[in-house]
Structure formats: C-alpha cells, structure tokens
Amino acid sequence: MKVRVFVYLKEGVLDPQGKAVGHALQTLGFKGVEDVRISRVVELDVDAVDKAAAQKQGEDMARALLANEVIEDFRVEVCA
Amino acid sequence: MKVRVFVYLKEGVLDPQGKAVGHALQTLGFKGVEDVRISRVVELDVDAVDKAAAQKQGEDMARALLANEVIEDFRVEVCA
C-alpha cells in the first residue's frame, strides 16, 4: 500500500532553506513572494493488511526515523 | 495566495536518499517497506490577482529555480 509521510517544520521554527529560496526568487524578479517554507514528502510502499494498518505503520516510521519531532510535525496519507 | 510546488524525481531517476531511508527503516524493523522516494514541497505566499495567475507564477518559479527539470518533475497546487 502506498503511504505518503509529509514532514514539515513546526510553526515558529526558522526555515533557513526557505529564506534562501525566497531571497533567490526575489532576485529573479518574483517580487510578491513571501513566507517560503520547504518541507519533504517520503513516499513508500508498505506491506499492510488495510488502510488503518498502513496509516499506523506510517506514523510509527515517522516517529522512529522520518521526522525530528523536536522541530518537525508530520502528517500521514494512505493512498488506495 | 498560498501556492504549493511539489518537486519530485522523474521516474527512473535513482533516489539515493530514498534508498538510504528505506535501508534504515528495514534495519529498524519495518520489514515490508519498499520503493522509498523522497521529494520536497515548497510552500509560498504569492501576490496574485486570481488562482490562474498564482498557478502560472508557481510554474514559472518552478521552472526558474525550484525544480531541476533534467531530473525532476513538478506539480503546482493553489490553495484558496
């Protein structure tokens, strides 16, 4: 089953990569760009009996490895 | 207007980061995990008159900076 784990910085945590990209976009002429935040998506195939099990496995993997819960939040999405 | 640009590797392009994460997950005991791919999402606020303009600006930014079209594809999503 396909699982997508979205990992993004918690609100209030500085995103230097986003800041740099925002600055570069401004330099390239995209003037009204603000509040750039960069997050990542981990897409994986898991071996689960149903959607609930896949969801649970996604959350377990996020907690164990994919997200740093001190500064990041995550959201798990199971695709059919 | 909030715009999300999803940038992911084209099919067939090797994703070493995904491979490493997949391997680490296996080591941690998540056995049935396969096909791990990691992509990124750039979320930004743009100054656009309507959804179509925001979409266009997102695509322009992806082509100019956010995606490397040699190895990556992108998808732009405009949030209300």
Tab-separated table of all heavy atoms in Angstrom, chain A residues 13-73:
chain	number	residue	atom	x	y	z
A	13	VAL	N	9.473	27.712	13.938
A	13	VAL	CA	10.854	27.253	13.730
A	13	VAL	C	11.379	27.907	12.456
A	13	VAL	O	10.720	27.867	11.419
A	13	VAL	CB	10.921	25.717	13.603
A	13	VAL	CG1	12.331	25.264	13.298
A	13	VAL	CG2	10.414	25.065	14.871
A	14	LEU	N	12.537	28.506	12.555
A	14	LEU	CA	13.125	29.200	11.413
A	14	LEU	C	13.479	28.211	10.304
A	14	LEU	O	13.993	27.127	10.578
A	14	LEU	CB	14.391	29.939	11.881
A	14	LEU	CG	14.981	30.923	10.871
A	14	LEU	CD1	14.089	32.154	10.750
A	14	LEU	CD2	16.380	31.342	11.279
A	15	ASP	N	13.190	28.588	9.068
A	15	ASP	CA	13.489	27.735	7.926
A	15	ASP	C	14.522	28.442	7.040
A	15	ASP	O	14.165	29.164	6.115
A	15	ASP	CB	12.192	27.464	7.152
A	15	ASP	CG	12.426	26.564	5.954
A	15	ASP	OD1	13.592	26.211	5.691
A	15	ASP	OD2	11.446	26.225	5.271
A	16	PRO	N	15.808	28.250	7.308
A	16	PRO	CA	16.831	28.985	6.562
A	16	PRO	C	16.836	28.634	5.079
A	16	PRO	O	17.092	29.508	4.239
A	16	PRO	CB	18.145	28.569	7.236
A	16	PRO	CG	17.830	27.450	8.139
A	16	PRO	CD	16.362	27.375	8.343
A	17	GLN	N	16.519	27.383	4.756
A	17	GLN	CA	16.473	26.975	3.345
A	17	GLN	C	15.363	27.754	2.631
A	17	GLN	O	15.547	28.266	1.525
A	17	GLN	CB	16.219	25.469	3.278
A	17	GLN	CG	16.579	24.848	1.953
A	17	GLN	CD	16.135	23.384	1.844
A	17	GLN	OE1	15.614	22.806	2.820
A	17	GLN	NE2	16.325	22.790	0.689
A	18	GLY	N	14.215	27.837	3.296
A	18	GLY	CA	13.101	28.600	2.732
A	18	GLY	C	13.450	30.064	2.567
A	18	GLY	O	13.129	30.680	1.553
A	19	LYS	N	14.117	30.619	3.556
A	19	LYS	CA	14.539	32.021	3.488
A	19	LYS	C	15.441	32.245	2.273
A	19	LYS	O	15.292	33.215	1.531
A	19	LYS	CB	15.308	32.410	4.761
A	19	LYS	CG	14.453	32.748	5.957
A	19	LYS	CD	14.372	34.274	6.151
A	19	LYS	CE	13.526	34.636	7.371
A	19	LYS	NZ	12.103	34.249	7.207
A	20	ALA	N	16.380	31.329	2.073
A	20	ALA	CA	17.318	31.459	0.960
A	20	ALA	C	16.586	31.376	-0.376
A	20	ALA	O	16.843	32.163	-1.297
A	20	ALA	CB	18.380	30.368	1.052
A	21	VAL	N	15.638	30.434	-0.464
A	21	VAL	CA	14.870	30.287	-1.703
A	21	VAL	C	14.030	31.542	-1.945
A	21	VAL	O	13.956	32.053	-3.066
A	21	VAL	CB	13.985	29.022	-1.644
A	21	VAL	CG1	12.950	29.026	-2.746
A	21	VAL	CG2	14.847	27.780	-1.731
A	22	GLY	N	13.415	32.072	-0.897
A	22	GLY	CA	12.619	33.296	-1.024
A	22	GLY	C	13.466	34.438	-1.540
A	22	GLY	O	13.063	35.188	-2.437
A	23	HIS	N	14.658	34.534	-1.014
A	23	HIS	CA	15.575	35.594	-1.429
A	23	HIS	C	15.965	35.427	-2.891
A	23	HIS	O	15.976	36.391	-3.672
A	23	HIS	CB	16.805	35.563	-0.521
A	23	HIS	CG	17.507	36.871	-0.456
A	23	HIS	ND1	18.558	37.171	-1.273
A	23	HIS	CD2	17.268	37.969	0.290
A	23	HIS	CE1	18.967	38.410	-1.015
A	23	HIS	NE2	18.191	38.917	-0.061
A	24	ALA	N	16.270	34.197	-3.262
A	24	ALA	CA	16.663	33.925	-4.651
A	24	ALA	C	15.522	34.250	-5.607
A	24	ALA	O	15.735	34.798	-6.693
A	24	ALA	CB	17.077	32.465	-4.789
A	25	LEU	N	14.285	33.917	-5.193
A	25	LEU	CA	13.128	34.204	-6.054
A	25	LEU	C	12.967	35.716	-6.246
A	25	LEU	O	12.690	36.194	-7.345
A	25	LEU	CB	11.854	33.594	-5.462
A	25	LEU	CG	11.733	32.069	-5.598
A	25	LEU	CD1	10.573	31.543	-4.773
A	25	LEU	CD2	11.560	31.667	-7.063
A	26	GLN	N	13.136	36.459	-5.169
A	26	GLN	CA	13.055	37.924	-5.254
A	26	GLN	C	14.095	38.439	-6.245
A	26	GLN	O	13.803	39.274	-7.095
A	26	GLN	CB	13.344	38.550	-3.883
A	26	GLN	CG	12.375	38.152	-2.796
A	26	GLN	CD	11.276	39.177	-2.558
A	26	GLN	OE1	11.272	40.225	-3.191
A	26	GLN	NE2	10.361	38.859	-1.668
A	27	THR	N	15.310	37.899	-6.137
A	27	THR	CA	16.395	38.326	-7.013
A	27	THR	C	16.073	38.010	-8.467
A	27	THR	O	16.438	38.755	-9.373
A	27	THR	CB	17.704	37.594	-6.607
A	27	THR	OG1	17.869	37.745	-5.202
A	27	THR	CG2	18.901	38.170	-7.329
A	28	LEU	N	15.358	36.909	-8.680
A	28	LEU	CA	14.984	36.515	-10.048
A	28	LEU	C	13.800	37.318	-10.573
A	28	LEU	O	13.352	37.103	-11.696
A	28	LEU	CB	14.645	35.025	-10.088
A	28	LEU	CG	15.831	34.060	-10.023
A	28	LEU	CD1	15.338	32.631	-9.872
A	28	LEU	CD2	16.694	34.169	-11.272
A	29	GLY	N	13.251	38.199	-9.755
A	29	GLY	CA	12.180	39.061	-10.242
A	29	GLY	C	10.783	38.684	-9.769
A	29	GLY	O	9.808	39.338	-10.141
A	30	PHE	N	10.668	37.638	-8.950
A	30	PHE	CA	9.353	37.280	-8.406
A	30	PHE	C	9.142	38.114	-7.147
A	30	PHE	O	9.578	37.734	-6.064
A	30	PHE	CB	9.284	35.787	-8.106
A	30	PHE	CG	9.429	34.926	-9.316
A	30	PHE	CD1	10.654	34.366	-9.655
A	30	PHE	CD2	8.339	34.687	-10.145
A	30	PHE	CE1	10.792	33.581	-10.791
A	30	PHE	CE2	8.466	33.891	-11.272
A	30	PHE	CZ	9.690	33.348	-11.596
A	31	LYS	N	8.490	39.256	-7.322
A	31	LYS	CA	8.501	40.254	-6.260
A	31	LYS	C	7.612	39.920	-5.059
A	31	LYS	O	8.027	39.997	-3.929
A	31	LYS	CB	8.126	41.631	-6.823
A	31	LYS	CG	9.221	42.239	-7.692
A	31	LYS	CD	10.575	42.300	-6.951
A	31	LYS	CE	11.709	42.766	-7.875
A	31	LYS	NZ	13.027	42.429	-7.337
A	32	GLY	N	6.386	39.546	-5.307
A	32	GLY	CA	5.456	39.423	-4.171
A	32	GLY	C	5.574	38.135	-3.362
A	32	GLY	O	4.643	37.763	-2.658
A	33	VAL	N	6.707	37.461	-3.453
A	33	VAL	CA	6.846	36.170	-2.787
A	33	VAL	C	7.208	36.353	-1.311
A	33	VAL	O	8.110	37.092	-0.968
A	33	VAL	CB	7.924	35.324	-3.483
A	33	VAL	CG1	8.140	34.026	-2.744
A	33	VAL	CG2	7.517	35.058	-4.911
A	34	GLU	N	6.475	35.659	-0.464
A	34	GLU	CA	6.728	35.762	0.976
A	34	GLU	C	6.568	34.398	1.619
A	34	GLU	O	5.979	33.494	1.037
A	34	GLU	CB	5.694	36.705	1.598
A	34	GLU	CG	6.185	38.143	1.726
A	34	GLU	CD	5.057	39.054	2.134
A	34	GLU	OE1	4.318	38.716	3.055
A	34	GLU	OE2	4.903	40.114	1.481
A	35	ASP	N	7.081	34.296	2.840
A	35	ASP	CA	6.803	33.132	3.683
A	35	ASP	C	7.097	31.807	3.001
A	35	ASP	O	6.236	30.931	2.927
A	35	ASP	CB	5.303	33.128	4.031
A	35	ASP	CG	5.069	33.675	5.423
A	35	ASP	OD1	6.048	33.806	6.162
A	35	ASP	OD2	3.907	33.971	5.745
A	36	VAL	N	8.300	31.646	2.512
A	36	VAL	CA	8.653	30.399	1.833
A	36	VAL	C	9.051	29.354	2.873
A	36	VAL	O	9.892	29.615	3.735
A	36	VAL	CB	9.809	30.622	0.829
A	36	VAL	CG1	10.083	29.351	0.060
A	36	VAL	CG2	9.485	31.768	-0.103
A	37	ARG	N	8.417	28.204	2.823
A	37	ARG	CA	8.737	27.099	3.741
A	37	ARG	C	8.958	25.857	2.895
A	37	ARG	O	8.209	25.586	1.956
A	37	ARG	CB	7.579	26.808	4.706
A	37	ARG	CG	7.029	27.989	5.441
A	37	ARG	CD	7.833	28.391	6.636
A	37	ARG	NE	7.712	27.476	7.760
A	37	ARG	CZ	8.403	27.653	8.895
A	37	ARG	NH1	9.234	28.674	9.016
A	37	ARG	NH2	8.267	26.811	9.894
A	38	ILE	N	9.974	25.112	3.237
A	38	ILE	CA	10.267	23.902	2.469
A	38	ILE	C	10.077	22.684	3.363
A	38	ILE	O	10.572	22.647	4.483
A	38	ILE	CB	11.693	23.965	1.895
A	38	ILE	CG1	11.747	25.161	0.939
A	38	ILE	CG2	12.051	22.670	1.175
A	38	ILE	CD1	13.041	25.334	0.234
A	39	SER	N	9.318	21.741	2.864
A	39	SER	CA	9.144	20.515	3.636
A	39	SER	C	9.414	19.330	2.721
A	39	SER	O	9.689	19.506	1.546
A	39	SER	CB	7.743	20.443	4.227
A	39	SER	OG	6.798	21.040	3.390
A	40	ARG	N	9.351	18.132	3.283
A	40	ARG	CA	9.642	16.982	2.429
A	40	ARG	C	8.534	15.936	2.535
A	40	ARG	O	7.775	15.903	3.501
A	40	ARG	CB	11.014	16.394	2.745
A	40	ARG	CG	11.190	15.875	4.141
A	40	ARG	CD	12.642	15.423	4.370
A	40	ARG	NE	12.780	14.864	5.703
A	40	ARG	CZ	12.851	15.591	6.826
A	40	ARG	NH1	12.831	16.902	6.763
A	40	ARG	NH2	12.942	15.010	7.994
A	41	VAL	N	8.480	15.152	1.499
A	41	VAL	CA	7.488	14.089	1.438
A	41	VAL	C	8.226	12.780	1.229
A	41	VAL	O	9.046	12.673	0.326
A	41	VAL	CB	6.527	14.309	0.252
A	41	VAL	CG1	5.407	13.287	0.299
A	41	VAL	CG2	5.981	15.707	0.234
A	42	VAL	N	7.947	11.817	2.088
A	42	VAL	CA	8.533	10.490	1.913
A	42	VAL	C	7.417	9.580	1.426
A	42	VAL	O	6.401	9.413	2.090
A	42	VAL	CB	9.120	9.960	3.235
A	42	VAL	CG1	9.808	8.628	2.997
A	42	VAL	CG2	10.079	10.968	3.837
A	43	GLU	N	7.604	9.037	0.243
A	43	GLU	CA	6.590	8.179	-0.350
A	43	GLU	C	7.106	6.754	-0.299
A	43	GLU	O	8.224	6.497	-0.735
A	43	GLU	CB	6.379	8.618	-1.799
A	43	GLU	CG	4.986	8.377	-2.307
A	43	GLU	CD	4.827	8.878	-3.720
A	43	GLU	OE1	4.609	10.088	-3.898
A	43	GLU	OE2	4.962	8.068	-4.650
A	44	LEU	N	6.330	5.854	0.270
A	44	LEU	CA	6.827	4.469	0.341
A	44	LEU	C	5.707	3.459	0.202
A	44	LEU	O	4.529	3.767	0.396
A	44	LEU	CB	7.604	4.221	1.645
A	44	LEU	CG	7.476	5.166	2.843
A	44	LEU	CD1	6.182	4.941	3.538
A	44	LEU	CD2	8.644	4.978	3.772
A	45	ASP	N	6.131	2.285	-0.186
A	45	ASP	CA	5.229	1.136	-0.303
A	45	ASP	C	5.361	0.320	0.966
A	45	ASP	O	6.464	-0.106	1.301
A	45	ASP	CB	5.668	0.273	-1.495
A	45	ASP	CG	4.714	0.422	-2.652
A	45	ASP	OD1	3.548	0.766	-2.396
A	45	ASP	OD2	5.142	0.198	-3.789
A	46	VAL	N	4.260	0.103	1.680
A	46	VAL	CA	4.347	-0.758	2.857
A	46	VAL	C	3.464	-1.983	2.663
A	46	VAL	O	2.539	-1.978	1.856
A	46	VAL	CB	3.928	-0.022	4.151
A	46	VAL	CG1	4.789	1.192	4.380
A	46	VAL	CG2	2.471	0.361	4.124
A	47	ASP	N	3.808	-2.981	3.430
A	47	ASP	CA	3.123	-4.261	3.365
A	47	ASP	C	2.115	-4.270	4.514
A	47	ASP	O	2.458	-4.630	5.630
A	47	ASP	CB	4.209	-5.338	3.559
A	47	ASP	CG	3.700	-6.703	3.181
A	47	ASP	OD1	2.648	-6.766	2.522
A	47	ASP	OD2	4.347	-7.686	3.562
A	48	ALA	N	0.878	-3.828	4.256
A	48	ALA	CA	-0.109	-3.729	5.332
A	48	ALA	C	-1.416	-4.365	4.888
A	48	ALA	O	-1.756	-4.356	3.709
A	48	ALA	CB	-0.333	-2.270	5.704
A	49	VAL	N	-2.155	-4.892	5.871
A	49	VAL	CA	-3.388	-5.594	5.520
A	49	VAL	C	-4.517	-4.631	5.138
A	49	VAL	O	-5.359	-4.946	4.310
A	49	VAL	CB	-3.873	-6.516	6.661
A	49	VAL	CG1	-3.001	-7.749	6.738
A	49	VAL	CG2	-3.893	-5.796	8.010
A	50	ASP	N	-4.555	-3.467	5.779
A	50	ASP	CA	-5.592	-2.493	5.426
A	50	ASP	C	-5.085	-1.066	5.622
A	50	ASP	O	-3.952	-0.849	6.022
A	50	ASP	CB	-6.869	-2.744	6.239
A	50	ASP	CG	-6.602	-2.698	7.735
A	50	ASP	OD1	-5.537	-2.188	8.127
A	50	ASP	OD2	-7.449	-3.179	8.505
A	51	LYS	N	-5.958	-0.113	5.303
A	51	LYS	CA	-5.572	1.294	5.363
A	51	LYS	C	-5.149	1.718	6.761
A	51	LYS	O	-4.198	2.478	6.939
A	51	LYS	CB	-6.749	2.169	4.913
A	51	LYS	CG	-6.783	2.417	3.422
A	51	LYS	CD	-7.727	3.578	3.091
A	51	LYS	CE	-7.399	4.178	1.739
A	51	LYS	NZ	-8.021	5.479	1.521
A	52	ALA	N	-5.890	1.229	7.765
A	52	ALA	CA	-5.586	1.625	9.146
A	52	ALA	C	-4.197	1.150	9.550
A	52	ALA	O	-3.432	1.885	10.188
A	52	ALA	CB	-6.644	1.068	10.095
A	53	ALA	N	-3.869	-0.075	9.146
A	53	ALA	CA	-2.550	-0.616	9.473
A	53	ALA	C	-1.455	0.174	8.760
A	53	ALA	O	-0.393	0.452	9.333
A	53	ALA	CB	-2.482	-2.081	9.085
A	54	ALA	N	-1.719	0.555	7.514
A	54	ALA	CA	-0.740	1.327	6.756
A	54	ALA	C	-0.534	2.699	7.407
A	54	ALA	O	0.600	3.182	7.535
A	54	ALA	CB	-1.201	1.485	5.313
A	55	GLN	N	-1.636	3.304	7.823
A	55	GLN	CA	-1.579	4.610	8.497
A	55	GLN	C	-0.728	4.507	9.765
A	55	GLN	O	0.162	5.320	10.003
A	55	GLN	CB	-3.013	5.034	8.851
A	55	GLN	CG	-3.144	6.289	9.702
A	55	GLN	CD	-3.157	7.557	8.883
A	55	GLN	OE1	-3.513	7.517	7.702
A	55	GLN	NE2	-2.756	8.675	9.462
A	56	LYS	N	-1.002	3.465	10.545
A	56	LYS	CA	-0.276	3.264	11.792
A	56	LYS	C	1.210	3.051	11.518
A	56	LYS	O	2.068	3.633	12.184
A	56	LYS	CB	-0.884	2.046	12.515
A	56	LYS	CG	-0.054	1.393	13.588
A	56	LYS	CD	-0.628	1.624	14.967
A	56	LYS	CE	0.215	1.074	16.117
A	56	LYS	NZ	1.652	1.115	15.987
A	57	GLN	N	1.500	2.256	10.505
A	57	GLN	CA	2.900	1.996	10.179
A	57	GLN	C	3.597	3.280	9.734
A	57	GLN	O	4.745	3.543	10.098
A	57	GLN	CB	2.989	0.917	9.093
A	57	GLN	CG	4.353	0.226	9.097
A	57	GLN	CD	4.446	-0.906	8.097
A	57	GLN	OE1	3.449	-1.552	7.802
A	57	GLN	NE2	5.636	-1.148	7.586
A	58	GLY	N	2.881	4.104	8.939
A	58	GLY	CA	3.432	5.401	8.519
A	58	GLY	C	3.768	6.271	9.717
A	58	GLY	O	4.839	6.884	9.780
A	59	GLU	N	2.859	6.311	10.682
A	59	GLU	CA	3.106	7.136	11.872
A	59	GLU	C	4.276	6.598	12.686
A	59	GLU	O	5.104	7.366	13.179
A	59	GLU	CB	1.833	7.204	12.725
A	59	GLU	CG	0.773	8.094	12.086
A	59	GLU	CD	-0.602	7.970	12.725
A	59	GLU	OE1	-0.703	7.323	13.789
A	59	GLU	OE2	-1.558	8.510	12.147
A	60	ASP	N	4.354	5.276	12.808
A	60	ASP	CA	5.464	4.679	13.543
A	60	ASP	C	6.799	5.012	12.874
A	60	ASP	O	7.773	5.357	13.549
A	60	ASP	CB	5.293	3.147	13.605
A	60	ASP	CG	4.159	2.750	14.539
A	60	ASP	OD1	3.696	3.621	15.300
A	60	ASP	OD2	3.733	1.584	14.496
A	61	MET	N	6.825	4.920	11.551
A	61	MET	CA	8.070	5.205	10.830
A	61	MET	C	8.448	6.674	10.973
A	61	MET	O	9.620	7.015	11.116
A	61	MET	CB	7.913	4.832	9.355
A	61	MET	CG	7.854	3.338	9.127
A	61	MET	SD	7.860	2.879	7.388
A	61	MET	CE	6.268	3.500	6.887
A	62	ALA	N	7.430	7.543	10.940
A	62	ALA	CA	7.705	8.974	11.089
A	62	ALA	C	8.327	9.246	12.458
A	62	ALA	O	9.310	9.980	12.576
A	62	ALA	CB	6.423	9.776	10.914
A	63	ARG	N	7.738	8.622	13.490
A	63	ARG	CA	8.256	8.852	14.844
A	63	ARG	C	9.645	8.254	15.017
A	63	ARG	O	10.485	8.816	15.712
A	63	ARG	CB	7.312	8.230	15.881
A	63	ARG	CG	6.074	9.057	16.048
A	63	ARG	CD	5.345	8.873	17.362
A	63	ARG	NE	4.102	9.623	17.251
A	63	ARG	CZ	2.977	9.105	16.759
A	63	ARG	NH1	2.916	7.845	16.383
A	63	ARG	NH2	1.904	9.864	16.638
A	64	ALA	N	9.873	7.108	14.385
A	64	ALA	CA	11.141	6.408	14.585
A	64	ALA	C	12.284	7.035	13.791
A	64	ALA	O	13.422	7.049	14.240
A	64	ALA	CB	10.997	4.944	14.192
A	65	LEU	N	11.969	7.560	12.607
A	65	LEU	CA	13.081	7.969	11.740
A	65	LEU	C	12.809	9.207	10.893
A	65	LEU	O	13.661	10.090	10.776
A	65	LEU	CB	13.441	6.807	10.800
A	65	LEU	CG	14.595	7.064	9.849
A	65	LEU	CD1	15.915	6.935	10.581
A	65	LEU	CD2	14.560	6.093	8.670
A	66	LEU	N	11.617	9.271	10.291
A	66	LEU	CA	11.433	10.251	9.213
A	66	LEU	C	11.323	11.689	9.697
A	66	LEU	O	11.701	12.610	8.985
A	66	LEU	CB	10.202	9.878	8.376
A	66	LEU	CG	10.196	8.451	7.833
A	66	LEU	CD1	8.912	8.171	7.086
A	66	LEU	CD2	11.387	8.210	6.943
A	67	ALA	N	10.770	11.895	10.883
A	67	ALA	CA	10.597	13.262	11.378
A	67	ALA	C	11.389	13.464	12.658
A	67	ALA	O	11.537	12.545	13.461
A	67	ALA	CB	9.121	13.533	11.637
A	68	ASN	N	11.890	14.659	12.826
A	68	ASN	CA	12.514	15.042	14.090
A	68	ASN	C	11.466	15.817	14.873
A	68	ASN	O	11.253	17.011	14.635
A	68	ASN	CB	13.737	15.909	13.793
A	68	ASN	CG	14.315	16.509	15.052
A	68	ASN	OD1	13.843	16.236	16.152
A	68	ASN	ND2	15.348	17.323	14.886
A	69	GLU	N	10.816	15.138	15.787
A	69	GLU	CA	9.626	15.724	16.425
A	69	GLU	C	9.927	16.927	17.320
A	69	GLU	O	9.013	17.596	17.776
A	69	GLU	CB	8.869	14.651	17.208
A	69	GLU	CG	8.043	13.776	16.288
A	69	GLU	CD	7.039	12.938	17.056
A	69	GLU	OE1	7.450	11.935	17.652
A	69	GLU	OE2	5.863	13.313	17.061
A	70	VAL	N	11.189	17.181	17.574
A	70	VAL	CA	11.523	18.387	18.342
A	70	VAL	C	11.172	19.633	17.532
A	70	VAL	O	10.628	20.595	18.059
A	70	VAL	CB	13.023	18.382	18.724
A	70	VAL	CG1	13.373	19.657	19.475
A	70	VAL	CG2	13.368	17.167	19.546
A	71	ILE	N	11.482	19.583	16.247
A	71	ILE	CA	11.245	20.774	15.427
A	71	ILE	C	10.274	20.522	14.279
A	71	ILE	O	9.887	21.460	13.582
A	71	ILE	CB	12.575	21.318	14.839
A	71	ILE	CG1	13.326	20.214	14.076
A	71	ILE	CG2	13.465	21.884	15.927
A	71	ILE	CD1	14.464	20.736	13.225
A	72	GLU	N	9.870	19.283	14.086
A	72	GLU	CA	9.030	18.985	12.922
A	72	GLU	C	7.711	18.315	13.305
A	72	GLU	O	7.635	17.592	14.297
A	72	GLU	CB	9.789	18.076	11.949
A	72	GLU	CG	10.959	18.747	11.255
A	72	GLU	CD	11.843	17.771	10.492
A	72	GLU	OE1	11.922	16.593	10.887
A	72	GLU	OE2	12.462	18.186	9.505
A	73	ASP	N	6.713	18.562	12.505
A	73	ASP	CA	5.444	17.838	12.591
A	73	ASP	C	5.324	16.955	11.361
A	73	ASP	O	6.010	17.173	10.366
A	73	ASP	CB	4.271	18.827	12.589
A	73	ASP	CG	4.018	19.397	13.970
A	73	ASP	OD1	4.289	18.698	14.951
A	73	ASP	OD2	3.560	20.548	14.056
